[in-house]
């Protein structure tokens, strides 16, 4: 599931999602709008803090292992 779907499913505001992920509002907004992609070091934190609902393949498909 992508971050926007996760945000909607969990009923979170942008501020709440940012706090949950541990990143600034402007950074998370950039991810949600597609203007930015999460940095490599942020990926494990996002996956962990979403309980695995958002995966590496969802965040950066080009980095996900081939099936």
């Amino acid at each position: 599931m992508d971050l926007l779907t996760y945000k909607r499913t969990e009923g979170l505001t942008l501020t709440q999602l940012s706090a949950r992920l541990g990143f600034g509002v402007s950074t998370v907004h950039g991810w949600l709008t597609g203007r930015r992609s999460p940095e490599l070091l942020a990926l494990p934190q996002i996956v962990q803090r979403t309980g695995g609902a958002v995966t590496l393949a969802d965040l950066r498909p080009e980095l996900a292992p081939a099936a």
Side-chain angles (χ1 to χ4, degrees):
M1 141 182 351
D2 64 24
L3 276 173
L4 185 57
T5 302
Y6 177 80
K7 176 185 172 290
R8 290 177 178 159
T9 300
E10 293 291 313
L12 301 171
T13 66
L14 176 59
T15 302
Q16 291 168 328
L17 177 61
S18 298
R20 183 174 291 185
L21 297 177
F23 295 93
V25 171
S26 64
T27 298
V28 174
H29 183 265
W31 298 341
L32 293 176
T33 60
R35 292 183 185 159
R36 297 183 187 178
S37 293
E39 297 293 326
L40 293 176
L41 295 175
L43 300 176
Q45 183 174 337
I46 296 168
V47 172
Q48 177 190 28
R49 292 191 175 184
T50 61
V54 179
T55 67
L56 174 62
D58 296 322
L59 296 167
R60 299 281 297 266
E62 73 279 10
L63 300 176

